[in-house]
Amino acid sequence: MQPRDLSDHVAYEAGRGIEEVARELGRDPSEFIKLASNENPHGPSPAAAVAIREAASSVSSYPKSAHTDLSAAIADRWDVDPSQVWLANGGDGAIDYLSRAMLEPDDDVLVPSPGFAYYGMSARFHHGDVREYELERAEDFAQTPETVLSAYDDDRIVYLTSPHNPSGSTVDLADVERIAEETGDDSLVVVDEAYGEFADVDSAVALLEGRDGFEARDDVAVLRTFSKAYGLAGLRLGYAIVPEEWADAYARVNTPFAASELACRAGLAAIDDDEHVERTLETARTSREYMREHLDAHVWPSEGNFVLVAVGDATAVAEETRERGVIVRDCSSFGLPGCIRVTCGTEAETDRAVETINAVLEDVAPESREVSEA
C-alpha cells in the first residue's frame, strides 16, 4: 500500500537552526547567531511569556474560552466582527482553511514567484493546481496590477504578499483593489501580511470593511501572524480575516480548536504588549537601514524584518558565512541562487552579520558579486 501520488509536491525548506548547524559542524552553539528565519531578535513578548507560565496548569482542558476570547480581541483590534477572524495553527494553517473553503479539485491558485512556497503546497494538498506570476529583480520585485493581471486566468485564489518574502516589497491598497476589481467574481484575493507590522502601508482589512475611501469588498481576505512582531513563532499562531458574508464557513473547515490553549493565552497577552512590538519594529528599521548602507553588495529596499542581498553565489556565501558563525538564508530555494536573505537582528547581531558577510564576499565571491541593478 502506498500514499497517493505526491510527486508534484515539494517539501518546505525551513531555515536551519543554531543547534542543527552546531551539531553538523561539531561546534558550540554559543558561537553562532541565526539570522535566517525572520524571527524576533528580542524573543517573545514578555507579557506572553508570563501568560504561558500561568496557563501551563490549564492545558488539560480544550481552549474553547481562550479561542473565543482571542478571536474577540483580534476583532476588536481590527474593528471587524469576531466571526471574520479565523484562528489557525500559524499563518500556514490559515492558508489551509482558505484552501478548504475555496478550492474544488483542479481549481488553480495564482502565486508570486519568488514567493512563499506554502501557498502552492496548500493548494496541492487540497487537489488544486498552481500557476505563477513572475516578480522581476530589475523592478525590485514589484507586485503591480499589470504583473498579476497579465498572468491571471480565472484562478480561484490570487495571492499577494505585502511585505513580500523574500524581497520586502509592498503592495498599495489601490493596487489590491484594482486586482480584486479586475479578477473574476469567483476569485478571492488573499493579501498575506505576515510582516505587516513592519511596513509603512495600510492593511488590506480596509478593503473588506470599506474604510479609508474604499468600497467594501467580499473578494479579499487578509493573513496575519503572531510569529514575527510578537515573537511567538514557536507557538504557531496566525489568523485570517475574511469577508463577513462568508465568515461562517470557518466552522466547516477548521480543525477542532485550531489554536492551542497556550497559544491563545499568549496571543491574548501579546496583542496588548505595545512596548515589545514597538521595540521590535524600531530594531528592524535600524537594522535594515544599517545593512543597506554598509553591506558591500546590492540590498533591495525592504519593509519587512529582513533584507535581500545579491551576492553572486548564494550557496557558497551562505555556507562560508555559516562557517564563520552567522546563519543566513540561501535563497536558492526561492529560485534566487544569487541572493541571500538576512533577518534584522539586534545592533550587535547586525554589526556582526555585516562584518562577516562583507569579509566572505571579499574572500569567496569578489568576481561574481552583483551590485547596483542586480
Side-chain angles (χ1 to χ4, degrees):
M1 180 178 177
Q2 295 292 324
R4 66 184 175 99
D5 183 8
L6 300 174
S7 59
D8 288 339
H9 294 246
V10 295
Y12 178 69
E13 296 185 33
R16 306 183 68 198
I18 288 176
E19 295 290 340
E20 179 184 5
V21 170
R23 283 196 300 268
E24 179 182 313
L25 298 180
R27 307 253 293 272
D28 191 309
S30 65
E31 298 178 29
F32 297 88
I33 59 171
K34 180 189 177 187
L35 299 176
S37 297
N38 300 340
E39 296 157 339
N40 192 317
H42 299 303
S45 152
V50 171
I52 291 169
R53 290 192 293 269
E54 292 179 346
S57 62
S58 66
V59 296
S60 57
S61 299
Y62 291 111
K64 186 171 183 179
S65 62
H67 199 280
T68 299
D69 292 346
L70 180 55
S71 296
I74 293 170
D76 183 66
R77 173 61 61 95
W78 292 107
D79 194 21
V80 299
D81 189 273
S83 67
Q84 294 176 256
V85 178
W86 290 12
L87 285 183
N89 184 38
D92 44 350
I95 292 169
D96 279 340
Y97 293 157
L98 292 174
S99 293
R100 292 180 196 176
M102 295 294 296
L103 297 181
E104 299 283 358
D106 299 323
D107 278 348
D108 290 334
V109 302
L110 185 63
V111 306
S113 177
F116 184 37
Y118 199 76
Y119 303 146
M121 292 171 66
S122 180
R124 292 188 178 100
F125 293 157
H126 296 89
H127 304 281
D129 293 322
V130 183
R131 302 176 58 256
E132 298 179 342
Y133 59 92
E134 298 292 331
L135 304 182
E136 300 297 333
R137 293 165 56 130
E139 297 175 4
D140 292 337
F141 301 96
Q143 297 170 89
T144 64
E146 291 77 14
T147 297
V148 178
L149 293 170
S150 65
Y152 172 76
D153 186 18
D154 292 325
D155 305 280
R156 185 69 162 138
I157 300 177
V158 177
Y159 282 99
L160 307 175
T161 316
S162 186
H164 172 253
N165 178 21
S167 75
S169 67
T170 56
V171 187
D172 292 335
L173 291 195
D175 289 341
V176 178
E177 181 185 48
R178 180 182 163 193
I179 291 167
E181 188 68 30
E182 297 188 25
T183 50
D185 292 341
D186 292 327
S187 296
L188 176 70
V189 176
V190 177
V191 185
D192 184 349
E193 298 179 352
Y195 301 95
E197 288 86 357
F198 300 95
D200 189 23
V201 293
D202 294 327
S203 171
V205 173
L207 298 177
L208 279 76
E209 299 302 296
R211 300 174 191 147
D212 303 330
F214 295 101
E215 293 186 7
R217 307 197 63 89
D218 65 358
D219 56 358
V220 174
V222 175
L223 299 172
R224 285 268 172 163
T225 182
F226 283 84
S227 294
K228 309 304 180 182
Y230 296 100
L232 302 183
L235 283 179
R236 313 306 303 124
L237 181 62
Y239 58 94
I241 299 178
V242 304
E244 190 170 5
E245 290 84 348
W246 49 281
D248 64 351
Y250 181 52
R252 295 172 174 82
V253 299
N254 74 327
T255 55
F257 307 107
S260 73
E261 174 75 7
L262 290 182
C264 288
R265 294 299 174 190
L268 278 164
I271 200 169
D272 290 325
D273 194 348
D274 295 335
E275 181 178 351
H276 180 71
V277 171
E278 184 49 46
R279 181 188 182 202
T280 298
L281 303 190
E282 180 57 33
T283 294
R285 287 189 289 264
T286 301
S287 177
R288 66 195 185 199
E289 180 180 350
Y290 185 86
M291 286 191 281
R292 287 207 71 199
E293 291 179 353
H294 292 89
L295 279 171
D296 296 334
H298 180 67
V299 180
W300 277 271
S302 171
E303 294 211 45
N305 66 336
F306 55 86
V307 296
L308 184 69
V309 187
V311 295
D313 185 340
T315 300
V317 170
E319 288 179 354
E320 182 60 26
T321 302
R322 182 190 62 189
E323 289 282 347
R324 302 186 191 193
V326 178
I327 305 170
V328 298
R329 185 65 181 266
D330 175 359
C331 286
S332 297
S333 63
F334 285 92
L336 296 172
C339 300
I340 60 172
R341 190 190 65 197
V342 188
T343 301
C344 296
T346 63
E347 182 177 355
E349 289 171 337
T350 301
D351 286 346
R352 181 178 173 187
V354 167
E355 181 179 355
T356 302
I357 292 168
N358 283 345
V360 169
L361 288 173
E362 187 64 32
D363 294 343
V364 173
E367 72 286 345
S368 61
R369 190 184 318 164
E370 300 176 46
V371 293
S372 65
E373 298 299 324

mmCIF file with all atom_site columns, all heavy atoms in Angstrom, residues 73-90:
data_model
loop_
_atom_site.group_PDB
_atom_site.id
_atom_site.type_symbol
_atom_site.label_atom_id
_atom_site.label_alt_id
_atom_site.label_comp_id
_atom_site.label_asym_id
_atom_site.label_entity_id
_atom_site.label_seq_id
_atom_site.pdbx_PDB_ins_code
_atom_site.Cartn_x
_atom_site.Cartn_y
_atom_site.Cartn_z
_atom_site.occupancy
_atom_site.B_iso_or_equiv
_atom_site.pdbx_formal_charge
_atom_site.auth_seq_id
_atom_site.auth_comp_id
_atom_site.auth_asym_id
_atom_site.auth_atom_id
_atom_site.pdbx_PDB_model_num
ATOM 1   N N   . ALA A 1 73 ? -10.573 39.597 20.762 1.00 0.00 ? 73 ALA A N   1
ATOM 2   C CA  . ALA A 1 73 ? -9.528  40.616 20.909 1.00 0.00 ? 73 ALA A CA  1
ATOM 3   C C   . ALA A 1 73 ? -8.970  41.033 19.551 1.00 0.00 ? 73 ALA A C   1
ATOM 4   O O   . ALA A 1 73 ? -8.718  42.219 19.304 1.00 0.00 ? 73 ALA A O   1
ATOM 5   C CB  . ALA A 1 73 ? -8.408  40.084 21.804 1.00 0.00 ? 73 ALA A CB  1
ATOM 6   N N   . ILE A 1 74 ? -8.763  40.065 18.662 1.00 0.00 ? 74 ILE A N   1
ATOM 7   C CA  . ILE A 1 74 ? -8.278  40.389 17.318 1.00 0.00 ? 74 ILE A CA  1
ATOM 8   C C   . ILE A 1 74 ? -9.330  41.191 16.563 1.00 0.00 ? 74 ILE A C   1
ATOM 9   O O   . ILE A 1 74 ? -9.017  42.181 15.881 1.00 0.00 ? 74 ILE A O   1
ATOM 10  C CB  . ILE A 1 74 ? -7.921  39.100 16.557 1.00 0.00 ? 74 ILE A CB  1
ATOM 11  C CG1 . ILE A 1 74 ? -6.723  38.419 17.208 1.00 0.00 ? 74 ILE A CG1 1
ATOM 12  C CG2 . ILE A 1 74 ? -7.629  39.407 15.089 1.00 0.00 ? 74 ILE A CG2 1
ATOM 13  C CD1 . ILE A 1 74 ? -6.442  37.027 16.669 1.00 0.00 ? 74 ILE A CD1 1
ATOM 14  N N   . ALA A 1 75 ? -10.583 40.785 16.702 1.00 0.00 ? 75 ALA A N   1
ATOM 15  C CA  . ALA A 1 75 ? -11.663 41.508 16.033 1.00 0.00 ? 75 ALA A CA  1
ATOM 16  C C   . ALA A 1 75 ? -11.736 42.951 16.521 1.00 0.00 ? 75 ALA A C   1
ATOM 17  O O   . ALA A 1 75 ? -11.953 43.881 15.726 1.00 0.00 ? 75 ALA A O   1
ATOM 18  C CB  . ALA A 1 75 ? -12.994 40.800 16.283 1.00 0.00 ? 75 ALA A CB  1
ATOM 19  N N   . ASP A 1 76 ? -11.539 43.136 17.811 1.00 0.00 ? 76 ASP A N   1
ATOM 20  C CA  . ASP A 1 76 ? -11.552 44.499 18.363 1.00 0.00 ? 76 ASP A CA  1
ATOM 21  C C   . ASP A 1 76 ? -10.389 45.309 17.816 1.00 0.00 ? 76 ASP A C   1
ATOM 22  O O   . ASP A 1 76 ? -10.546 46.496 17.508 1.00 0.00 ? 76 ASP A O   1
ATOM 23  C CB  . ASP A 1 76 ? -11.490 44.419 19.886 1.00 0.00 ? 76 ASP A CB  1
ATOM 24  C CG  . ASP A 1 76 ? -11.571 45.794 20.531 1.00 0.00 ? 76 ASP A CG  1
ATOM 25  O OD1 . ASP A 1 76 ? -12.630 46.445 20.416 1.00 0.00 ? 76 ASP A OD1 1
ATOM 26  O OD2 . ASP A 1 76 ? -10.569 46.220 21.147 1.00 0.00 ? 76 ASP A OD2 1
ATOM 27  N N   . ARG A 1 77 ? -9.226  44.681 17.677 1.00 0.00 ? 77 ARG A N   1
ATOM 28  C CA  . ARG A 1 77 ? -8.049  45.376 17.158 1.00 0.00 ? 77 ARG A CA  1
ATOM 29  C C   . ARG A 1 77 ? -8.288  45.863 15.721 1.00 0.00 ? 77 ARG A C   1
ATOM 30  O O   . ARG A 1 77 ? -7.873  46.969 15.353 1.00 0.00 ? 77 ARG A O   1
ATOM 31  C CB  . ARG A 1 77 ? -6.838  44.437 17.214 1.00 0.00 ? 77 ARG A CB  1
ATOM 32  C CG  . ARG A 1 77 ? -5.555  44.959 16.546 1.00 0.00 ? 77 ARG A CG  1
ATOM 33  C CD  . ARG A 1 77 ? -5.066  46.246 17.188 1.00 0.00 ? 77 ARG A CD  1
ATOM 34  N NE  . ARG A 1 77 ? -4.738  46.093 18.582 1.00 0.00 ? 77 ARG A NE  1
ATOM 35  C CZ  . ARG A 1 77 ? -3.511  45.840 19.047 1.00 0.00 ? 77 ARG A CZ  1
ATOM 36  N NH1 . ARG A 1 77 ? -2.515  45.707 18.215 1.00 0.00 ? 77 ARG A NH1 1
ATOM 37  N NH2 . ARG A 1 77 ? -3.304  45.759 20.338 1.00 0.00 ? 77 ARG A NH2 1
ATOM 38  N N   . TRP A 1 78 ? -8.990  45.064 14.921 1.00 0.00 ? 78 TRP A N   1
ATOM 39  C CA  . TRP A 1 78 ? -9.197  45.395 13.513 1.00 0.00 ? 78 TRP A CA  1
ATOM 40  C C   . TRP A 1 78 ? -10.580 45.978 13.236 1.00 0.00 ? 78 TRP A C   1
ATOM 41  O O   . TRP A 1 78 ? -10.885 46.315 12.091 1.00 0.00 ? 78 TRP A O   1
ATOM 42  C CB  . TRP A 1 78 ? -8.977  44.153 12.645 1.00 0.00 ? 78 TRP A CB  1
ATOM 43  C CG  . TRP A 1 78 ? -7.558  43.713 12.632 1.00 0.00 ? 78 TRP A CG  1
ATOM 44  C CD1 . TRP A 1 78 ? -7.023  42.633 13.248 1.00 0.00 ? 78 TRP A CD1 1
ATOM 45  C CD2 . TRP A 1 78 ? -6.465  44.354 11.962 1.00 0.00 ? 78 TRP A CD2 1
ATOM 46  N NE1 . TRP A 1 78 ? -5.673  42.542 13.014 1.00 0.00 ? 78 TRP A NE1 1
ATOM 47  C CE2 . TRP A 1 78 ? -5.310  43.598 12.231 1.00 0.00 ? 78 TRP A CE2 1
ATOM 48  C CE3 . TRP A 1 78 ? -6.356  45.491 11.159 1.00 0.00 ? 78 TRP A CE3 1
ATOM 49  C CZ2 . TRP A 1 78 ? -4.058  43.945 11.728 1.00 0.00 ? 78 TRP A CZ2 1
ATOM 50  C CZ3 . TRP A 1 78 ? -5.114  45.841 10.658 1.00 0.00 ? 78 TRP A CZ3 1
ATOM 51  C CH2 . TRP A 1 78 ? -3.984  45.071 10.941 1.00 0.00 ? 78 TRP A CH2 1
ATOM 52  N N   . ASP A 1 79 ? -11.405 46.085 14.272 1.00 0.00 ? 79 ASP A N   1
ATOM 53  C CA  . ASP A 1 79 ? -12.767 46.606 14.135 1.00 0.00 ? 79 ASP A CA  1
ATOM 54  C C   . ASP A 1 79 ? -13.568 45.796 13.117 1.00 0.00 ? 79 ASP A C   1
ATOM 55  O O   . ASP A 1 79 ? -14.158 46.338 12.176 1.00 0.00 ? 79 ASP A O   1
ATOM 56  C CB  . ASP A 1 79 ? -12.737 48.091 13.750 1.00 0.00 ? 79 ASP A CB  1
ATOM 57  C CG  . ASP A 1 79 ? -14.105 48.764 13.923 1.00 0.00 ? 79 ASP A CG  1
ATOM 58  O OD1 . ASP A 1 79 ? -14.938 48.233 14.681 1.00 0.00 ? 79 ASP A OD1 1
ATOM 59  O OD2 . ASP A 1 79 ? -14.329 49.814 13.282 1.00 0.00 ? 79 ASP A OD2 1
ATOM 60  N N   . VAL A 1 80 ? -13.554 44.481 13.300 1.00 0.00 ? 80 VAL A N   1
ATOM 61  C CA  . VAL A 1 80 ? -14.347 43.572 12.489 1.00 0.00 ? 80 VAL A CA  1
ATOM 62  C C   . VAL A 1 80 ? -15.180 42.710 13.425 1.00 0.00 ? 80 VAL A C   1
ATOM 63  O O   . VAL A 1 80 ? -15.014 42.739 14.648 1.00 0.00 ? 80 VAL A O   1
ATOM 64  C CB  . VAL A 1 80 ? -13.462 42.680 11.587 1.00 0.00 ? 80 VAL A CB  1
ATOM 65  C CG1 . VAL A 1 80 ? -12.657 43.532 10.617 1.00 0.00 ? 80 VAL A CG1 1
ATOM 66  C CG2 . VAL A 1 80 ? -12.544 41.785 12.416 1.00 0.00 ? 80 VAL A CG2 1
ATOM 67  N N   . ASP A 1 81 ? -16.080 41.923 12.860 1.00 0.00 ? 81 ASP A N   1
ATOM 68  C CA  . ASP A 1 81 ? -16.867 41.007 13.671 1.00 0.00 ? 81 ASP A CA  1
ATOM 69  C C   . ASP A 1 81 ? -16.019 39.784 14.031 1.00 0.00 ? 81 ASP A C   1
ATOM 70  O O   . ASP A 1 81 ? -15.232 39.313 13.201 1.00 0.00 ? 81 ASP A O   1
ATOM 71  C CB  . ASP A 1 81 ? -18.104 40.556 12.891 1.00 0.00 ? 81 ASP A CB  1
ATOM 72  C CG  . ASP A 1 81 ? -19.070 39.780 13.751 1.00 0.00 ? 81 ASP A CG  1
ATOM 73  O OD1 . ASP A 1 81 ? -18.901 38.547 13.858 1.00 0.00 ? 81 ASP A OD1 1
ATOM 74  O OD2 . ASP A 1 81 ? -19.981 40.406 14.329 1.00 0.00 ? 81 ASP A OD2 1
ATOM 75  N N   . PRO A 1 82 ? -16.137 39.250 15.261 1.00 0.00 ? 82 PRO A N   1
ATOM 76  C CA  . PRO A 1 82 ? -15.328 38.078 15.628 1.00 0.00 ? 82 PRO A CA  1
ATOM 77  C C   . PRO A 1 82 ? -15.484 36.900 14.678 1.00 0.00 ? 82 PRO A C   1
ATOM 78  O O   . PRO A 1 82 ? -14.545 36.107 14.519 1.00 0.00 ? 82 PRO A O   1
ATOM 79  C CB  . PRO A 1 82 ? -15.831 37.735 17.036 1.00 0.00 ? 82 PRO A CB  1
ATOM 80  C CG  . PRO A 1 82 ? -16.296 39.041 17.594 1.00 0.00 ? 82 PRO A CG  1
ATOM 81  C CD  . PRO A 1 82 ? -16.896 39.773 16.421 1.00 0.00 ? 82 PRO A CD  1
ATOM 82  N N   . SER A 1 83 ? -16.641 36.766 14.030 1.00 0.00 ? 83 SER A N   1
ATOM 83  C CA  . SER A 1 83 ? -16.829 35.654 13.101 1.00 0.00 ? 83 SER A CA  1
ATOM 84  C C   . SER A 1 83 ? -15.939 35.772 11.874 1.00 0.00 ? 83 SER A C   1
ATOM 85  O O   . SER A 1 83 ? -15.750 34.788 11.145 1.00 0.00 ? 83 SER A O   1
ATOM 86  C CB  . SER A 1 83 ? -18.295 35.574 12.667 1.00 0.00 ? 83 SER A CB  1
ATOM 87  O OG  . SER A 1 83 ? -18.658 36.707 11.890 1.00 0.00 ? 83 SER A OG  1
ATOM 88  N N   . GLN A 1 84 ? -15.384 36.955 11.644 1.00 0.00 ? 84 GLN A N   1
ATOM 89  C CA  . GLN A 1 84 ? -14.492 37.143 10.499 1.00 0.00 ? 84 GLN A CA  1
ATOM 90  C C   . GLN A 1 84 ? -13.062 36.728 10.797 1.00 0.00 ? 84 GLN A C   1
ATOM 91  O O   . GLN A 1 84 ? -12.224 36.693 9.890  1.00 0.00 ? 84 GLN A O   1
ATOM 92  C CB  . GLN A 1 84 ? -14.491 38.607 10.057 1.00 0.00 ? 84 GLN A CB  1
ATOM 93  C CG  . GLN A 1 84 ? -15.810 39.091 9.494  1.00 0.00 ? 84 GLN A CG  1
ATOM 94  C CD  . GLN A 1 84 ? -15.776 40.563 9.170  1.00 0.00 ? 84 GLN A CD  1
ATOM 95  O OE1 . GLN A 1 84 ? -16.336 41.389 9.893  1.00 0.00 ? 84 GLN A OE1 1
ATOM 96  N NE2 . GLN A 1 84 ? -15.106 40.917 8.081  1.00 0.00 ? 84 GLN A NE2 1
ATOM 97  N N   . VAL A 1 85 ? -12.771 36.409 12.050 1.00 0.00 ? 85 VAL A N   1
ATOM 98  C CA  . VAL A 1 85 ? -11.419 36.035 12.459 1.00 0.00 ? 85 VAL A CA  1
ATOM 99  C C   . VAL A 1 85 ? -11.319 34.514 12.481 1.00 0.00 ? 85 VAL A C   1
ATOM 100 O O   . VAL A 1 85 ? -12.003 33.845 13.262 1.00 0.00 ? 85 VAL A O   1
ATOM 101 C CB  . VAL A 1 85 ? -11.081 36.608 13.843 1.00 0.00 ? 85 VAL A CB  1
ATOM 102 C CG1 . VAL A 1 85 ? -9.678  36.162 14.283 1.00 0.00 ? 85 VAL A CG1 1
ATOM 103 C CG2 . VAL A 1 85 ? -11.168 38.127 13.827 1.00 0.00 ? 85 VAL A CG2 1
ATOM 104 N N   . TRP A 1 86 ? -10.476 33.977 11.616 1.00 0.00 ? 86 TRP A N   1
ATOM 105 C CA  . TRP A 1 86 ? -10.265 32.536 11.544 1.00 0.00 ? 86 TRP A CA  1
ATOM 106 C C   . TRP A 1 86 ? -8.910  32.212 12.182 1.00 0.00 ? 86 TRP A C   1
ATOM 107 O O   . TRP A 1 86 ? -7.869  32.294 11.536 1.00 0.00 ? 86 TRP A O   1
ATOM 108 C CB  . TRP A 1 86 ? -10.275 32.060 10.099 1.00 0.00 ? 86 TRP A CB  1
ATOM 109 C CG  . TRP A 1 86 ? -11.622 32.115 9.433  1.00 0.00 ? 86 TRP A CG  1
ATOM 110 C CD1 . TRP A 1 86 ? -12.753 32.727 9.869  1.00 0.00 ? 86 TRP A CD1 1
ATOM 111 C CD2 . TRP A 1 86 ? -11.961 31.509 8.173  1.00 0.00 ? 86 TRP A CD2 1
ATOM 112 N NE1 . TRP A 1 86 ? -13.773 32.554 8.977  1.00 0.00 ? 86 TRP A NE1 1
ATOM 113 C CE2 . TRP A 1 86 ? -13.330 31.810 7.933  1.00 0.00 ? 86 TRP A CE2 1
ATOM 114 C CE3 . TRP A 1 86 ? -11.261 30.759 7.242  1.00 0.00 ? 86 TRP A CE3 1
ATOM 115 C CZ2 . TRP A 1 86 ? -13.989 31.371 6.778  1.00 0.00 ? 86 TRP A CZ2 1
ATOM 116 C CZ3 . TRP A 1 86 ? -11.914 30.327 6.091  1.00 0.00 ? 86 TRP A CZ3 1
ATOM 117 C CH2 . TRP A 1 86 ? -13.263 30.628 5.869  1.00 0.00 ? 86 TRP A CH2 1
ATOM 118 N N   . LEU A 1 87 ? -8.908  31.868 13.456 1.00 0.00 ? 87 LEU A N   1
ATOM 119 C CA  . LEU A 1 87 ? -7.673  31.487 14.135 1.00 0.00 ? 87 LEU A CA  1
ATOM 120 C C   . LEU A 1 87 ? -7.125  30.200 13.540 1.00 0.00 ? 87 LEU A C   1
ATOM 121 O O   . LEU A 1 87 ? -7.882  29.324 13.117 1.00 0.00 ? 87 LEU A O   1
ATOM 122 C CB  . LEU A 1 87 ? -7.924  31.281 15.624 1.00 0.00 ? 87 LEU A CB  1
ATOM 123 C CG  . LEU A 1 87 ? -8.120  32.509 16.506 1.00 0.00 ? 87 LEU A CG  1
ATOM 124 C CD1 . LEU A 1 87 ? -8.281  32.074 17.964 1.00 0.00 ? 87 LEU A CD1 1
ATOM 125 C CD2 . LEU A 1 87 ? -6.965  33.477 16.376 1.00 0.00 ? 87 LEU A CD2 1
ATOM 126 N N   . ALA A 1 88 ? -5.802  30.071 13.556 1.00 0.00 ? 88 ALA A N   1
ATOM 127 C CA  . ALA A 1 88 ? -5.189  28.903 12.934 1.00 0.00 ? 88 ALA A CA  1
ATOM 128 C C   . ALA A 1 88 ? -3.853  28.590 13.586 1.00 0.00 ? 88 ALA A C   1
ATOM 129 O O   . ALA A 1 88 ? -3.294  29.397 14.335 1.00 0.00 ? 88 ALA A O   1
ATOM 130 C CB  . ALA A 1 88 ? -4.996  29.140 11.432 1.00 0.00 ? 88 ALA A CB  1
ATOM 131 N N   . ASN A 1 89 ? -3.358  27.421 13.257 1.00 0.00 ? 89 ASN A N   1
ATOM 132 C CA  . ASN A 1 89 ? -2.048  26.968 13.716 1.00 0.00 ? 89 ASN A CA  1
ATOM 133 C C   . ASN A 1 89 ? -0.984  27.593 12.815 1.00 0.00 ? 89 ASN A C   1
ATOM 134 O O   . ASN A 1 89 ? -0.449  26.964 11.909 1.00 0.00 ? 89 ASN A O   1
ATOM 135 C CB  . ASN A 1 89 ? -1.991  25.436 13.660 1.00 0.00 ? 89 ASN A CB  1
ATOM 136 C CG  . ASN A 1 89 ? -0.691  24.893 14.207 1.00 0.00 ? 89 ASN A CG  1
ATOM 137 O OD1 . ASN A 1 89 ? -0.157  25.409 15.167 1.00 0.00 ? 89 ASN A OD1 1
ATOM 138 N ND2 . ASN A 1 89 ? -0.182  23.854 13.585 1.00 0.00 ? 89 ASN A ND2 1
ATOM 139 N N   . GLY A 1 90 ? -0.696  28.868 13.074 1.00 0.00 ? 90 GLY A N   1
ATOM 140 C CA  . GLY A 1 90 ? 0.225   29.614 12.228 1.00 0.00 ? 90 GLY A CA  1
ATOM 141 C C   . GLY A 1 90 ? -0.473  30.177 11.005 1.00 0.00 ? 90 GLY A C   1
ATOM 142 O O   . GLY A 1 90 ? -1.606  29.802 10.677 1.00 0.00 ? 90 GLY A O   1
#
